[in-house]
Amino acid sequence: MLKKCFKYDFKSVFKIWWIAAVTVLGLSVPAGIAYESLREHFKDPARRFIWENSAVGAFWFSVMAILILTSVLVAVRFYINFFSDEGYLTFTLPVKRSTLLFSKILSGFVFYALTALVVVVSLAVIGLFVPAVGESYSCLTAEVLCEFILIFKEVPLKDILWIIAYALELVLMAILSPLVSTLFLYTLITLGATIAKRHKVAATIGLMVGSNYLLSALIIPVVLAIGLWVNATLHLFSDKMLGEYDWMYFVLFAFLFVIAVLATVCAFLGNVIQGCLERKLNLP
Amino acid sequence: MSEPILVCDKLCKSYKKGVPVLNNFDFTVEPGRIIGLLGPNGCGKSTLLKLIAGLLVPDCGEITVCGIKRSEETNKYISYLPERPYFSTRMSVDEMISFFKEFYADFDELIARKMLFDLGINPKSQVKTLSKGTKEKVQLILVMSRRAKLYMLDEPIGGVDPAARDYILSTIIGNYNEEASVIITTHLIADIEPVLNDFAFMYQGKIHMSGDADETRNTYGKSLDQLFREVFRC
């Protein structure tokens, strides 16, 4: 059933999302060309400046647009499918609510990942055109990649293990971060639609604005406190107790702590949504 | 005697504290019956259907469908038509047919396509381009094209023209099998009366009066429509 649910969730968002993806990829070509070819084309620096900035500006605008659009499409799909009249169909299907929710989380995550991929690919396209500093070849060629591999060959085995450990942690964080964003968005929509009897969208937007202010107010002091604590620790123990690899352990465990926090937040938000869908469903 | 299709045992539901919509509500549906669930506005008809469909959670009591306690599992046996259009407006009628076919193992595509043809509805049409009445017809066609055990139709003919009502009612009678039951709620009692086997008048969250439609008509010498007007006269 998950496969079927995911198919419909994916199709519904993809119908509009692909247009934005193609636009971003399409605009990356003139943006890349703008750096080099237009320089040859327009001898007048003023005209070249306008052309360069138009092409590059349009590209970055499209990148911003796809980031916002993905969030909006994922949120709209979740809201309409669960809390509008469509909910009458969704919740009378012979499918467990946990499966319905998991399908939405999966599709949200997939679209965030696809958006990131589109942005990375479009930047790579620009990299193909932009020359590396002081070199005749472009930023992204086989030569550059070969040099990169050569650097890795010189790294000792122990350090490679560290790199693998860090890479794994970064991958986990890269998976958990969009997951937390998706679940946070879904939680606010669910709470807004559960609490409000009529103006559910307004309630959701109100919760989003309120939670943003609240999180900013909470996160800024926490981050500052952690920064101060780390700074104090660095001064206290520098050159005395911690060797080269002790620092590596310190950062590794700090990342693990962040991963554990993100995973706990995911589980908590998932449970909140599931609880609301099971017991507090409030269709119009 | 065969197992009841639906048993509601001492159901309670209130939206606000102290204002019960359903109050210790007992209701049993035997197989092969078409039941009219009738009552004035706000008496709890739609709430009851939503509880059976799993869209609401009862405050107390228990619902059993085909011997199974209400859950996602029982949705396999229930074909529910809510009182409002619930299809995705971004889909076409064809896509809705595919959707039903994928999620309901008991969906009969041939029946659905025949009924669409009979009512002159183009399966290629987008749901958003259909009129309100046509949307209701499409919904009813899809709901009645399932081989379900229990059909629950909330105001199925409220938004359609009188000519289509006859077709819809004949569809309801023609499409359900002898092992299945149909619960219909409506205010248009005179229209659905000919197809009803049983009726239940609901009032203030309880069954006020119920029985066999023919027997009641013979006993009182009145149609159910006349009896309803008399019982619920303002």
Side-chain angles (χ1 to χ4, degrees):
Chain A
M1 279 297 178
L2 177 66
K3 202 174 153 190
K4 290 177 188 174
C5 294
F6 179 74
K7 188 182 107 180
Y8 281 96
D9 285 334
F10 186 87
K11 263 171 75 176
S12 168
V13 177
F14 192 78
K15 266 183 188 173
I16 300 172
W17 180 87
W18 75 268
I19 301 167
V22 169
T23 309
V24 172
L25 290 170
L27 284 173
S28 67
V29 177
I33 294 170
Y35 280 115
E36 184 58 21
S37 304
L38 290 176
R39 199 163 295 168
E40 301 292 319
H41 215 77
F42 297 105
K43 300 294 176 195
D44 176 16
R47 285 181 71 189
R48 199 173 67 216
F49 178 81
I50 293 167
W51 272 99
E52 274 180 9
N53 283 288
S54 313
V56 175
F59 168 73
W60 284 111
F61 180 78
S62 71
V63 169
M64 291 296 289
I66 198 172
L67 291 174
I68 295 167
L69 185 79
T70 304
S71 292
V72 170
L73 288 176
V74 164
V76 166
R77 169 71 185 168
F78 182 79
Y79 176 80
I80 289 183
N81 204 232
F82 276 3
F83 300 111
S84 73
D85 289 343
E86 258 185 66
Y88 283 86
L89 180 60
T90 308
F91 293 114
T92 50
L93 292 172
V95 182
K96 282 185 180 169
R97 289 189 185 182
S98 53
T99 309
L100 291 169
L101 176 61
F102 189 63
S103 162
K104 294 276 181 295
I105 295 169
L106 196 64
S107 73
F109 175 76
V110 165
F111 275 103
Y112 279 125
L114 282 176
T115 303
L117 188 70
V118 165
V119 174
V120 168
V121 170
S122 61
L123 288 174
V125 170
I126 291 176
L128 280 172
F129 291 100
V130 180
V133 181
E135 302 290 347
S136 57
Y137 49 76
S138 78
C139 285
L140 207 79
T141 60
E143 291 166 78
V144 178
L145 292 174
C146 283
E147 272 195 28
F148 194 68
I149 292 164
L150 279 175
I151 294 168
F152 257 88
K153 276 187 175 174
E154 288 166 13
V155 178
L157 181 67
K158 196 179 179 189
D159 288 353
I160 287 183
L161 289 176
W162 278 108
I163 290 168
I164 292 170
Y166 278 126
L168 280 174
E169 284 192 329
L170 286 175
V171 167
L172 268 176
M173 279 203 272
I175 292 170
L176 284 169
S177 303
L179 212 55
V180 170
S181 305
T182 311
L183 277 163
F184 188 63
L185 186 66
Y186 286 171
T187 306
L188 294 178
I189 295 170
T190 306
L191 290 176
T194 307
I195 296 162
K197 279 191 178 151
R198 284 188 185 168
H199 306 290
K200 296 182 178 198
V201 178
T204 303
I205 293 169
L207 277 174
M208 280 178 183
V209 174
S211 62
N212 263 336
Y213 277 115
L214 191 71
L215 280 176
S216 308
L218 284 173
I219 284 173
I220 291 169
V222 169
V223 169
L224 278 174
I226 291 173
L228 284 171
W229 176 72
V230 170
N231 202 25
T233 317
L234 286 174
H235 279 293
L236 275 175
F237 297 108
S238 59
D239 304 329
K240 286 178 185 172
M241 292 170 75
L242 295 175
E244 186 189 345
Y245 284 106
D246 293 328
W247 287 113
M248 304 283 268
Y249 279 116
F250 179 76
V251 178
L252 193 78
F253 282 114
F255 278 6
L256 270 180
F257 176 73
V258 173
I259 288 167
V261 170
L262 289 176
T264 311
V265 170
C266 277
F268 174 72
L269 295 179
N271 269 323
V272 169
I273 304 171
Q274 177 78 6
C276 287
L277 294 182
E278 296 278 0
R279 291 180 292 276
K280 302 276 178 196
L281 192 62
N282 174 22
L283 291 177
Chain B
M1 201 175 154
S2 56
E3 186 183 49
I5 298 266
L6 171 74
V7 179
C8 298
D9 185 26
K10 295 189 172 42
L11 272 189
C12 308
K13 180 69 191 173
S14 56
Y15 295 110
K16 283 180 191 170
K17 273 191 177 174
V19 190
V21 180
L22 293 177
N23 194 4
N24 279 322
F25 187 87
D26 292 318
F27 188 51
T28 303
V29 175
E30 299 295 339
R33 310 297 290 174
I34 301 180
I35 302 127
L37 198 59
L38 315 165
N41 294 329
C43 70
K45 305 184 294 288
S46 295
T47 300
L48 175 67
L49 297 193
K50 283 182 187 179
L51 285 166
I52 300 166
L55 295 167
L56 293 172
V57 181
D59 298 332
C60 67
E62 200 170 82
I63 299 165
T64 314
V65 180
C66 299
I68 304 168
K69 202 178 160 192
R70 221 234 80 79
S71 65
E72 286 84 8
E73 182 69 16
T74 55
N75 285 351
K76 285 180 188 168
Y77 308 113
I78 300 170
S79 195
Y80 170 58
L81 178 80
E83 59 189 322
R84 59 185 69 222
Y86 68 164
F87 285 170
S88 167
T89 49
R90 296 174 301 281
M91 289 170 106
S92 68
V93 177
D94 260 338
E95 284 173 317
M96 282 314 302
I97 289 174
S98 305
F99 183 88
F100 266 64
K101 214 170 114 183
E102 277 198 58
F103 281 96
Y104 297 109
D106 58 5
F107 183 74
D108 193 329
E109 189 181 347
L110 285 176
I111 290 179
R113 293 205 178 273
K114 186 190 172 299
M115 284 198 275
L116 286 171
F117 179 78
D118 288 346
L119 286 171
I121 299 167
N122 181 4
K124 305 276 174 218
S125 329
Q126 289 288 315
V127 171
K128 66 181 168 196
T129 63
L130 302 175
S131 68
K132 186 174 173 276
T134 311
K135 275 182 199 162
E136 288 187 12
K137 285 178 199 168
V138 173
Q139 281 188 175
L140 185 76
I141 286 169
L142 295 187
V143 165
M144 292 310 296
S145 298
R146 286 183 55 198
R147 301 279 178 215
K149 297 270 187 189
L150 177 64
Y151 298 88
M152 300 196 300
L153 314 175
D154 199 355
E155 300 284 353
I157 53 172
V160 298
D161 55 87
R165 275 177 204 169
D166 291 339
Y167 180 84
I168 288 169
L169 291 172
S170 65
T171 303
I172 292 169
I173 303 169
N175 276 24
Y176 91 103
N177 58 65
E178 283 184 7
E179 290 168 10
S181 291
V182 185
I183 301 174
I184 307 175
T185 74
T186 185
H187 293 114
L188 302 165
I189 303 167
D191 283 309
I192 67 149
E193 202 176 327
V195 305
L196 297 182
N197 300 125
D198 299 316
F199 76 99
F201 286 167
M202 273 183 78
Y203 186 63
Q204 292 185 340
K206 288 193 170 181
I207 298 279
H208 185 70
M209 187 177 179
S210 65
D212 183 283
D214 287 333
E215 278 177 21
T216 307
R217 274 190 287 262
N218 291 336
T219 309
Y220 289 91
K222 290 171 186 158
S223 68
L224 291 179
D225 188 40
Q226 287 169 325
L227 195 61
F228 182 90
R229 286 167 200 269
E230 208 175 284
V231 171
F232 296 109
R233 180 166 287 139
C234 297

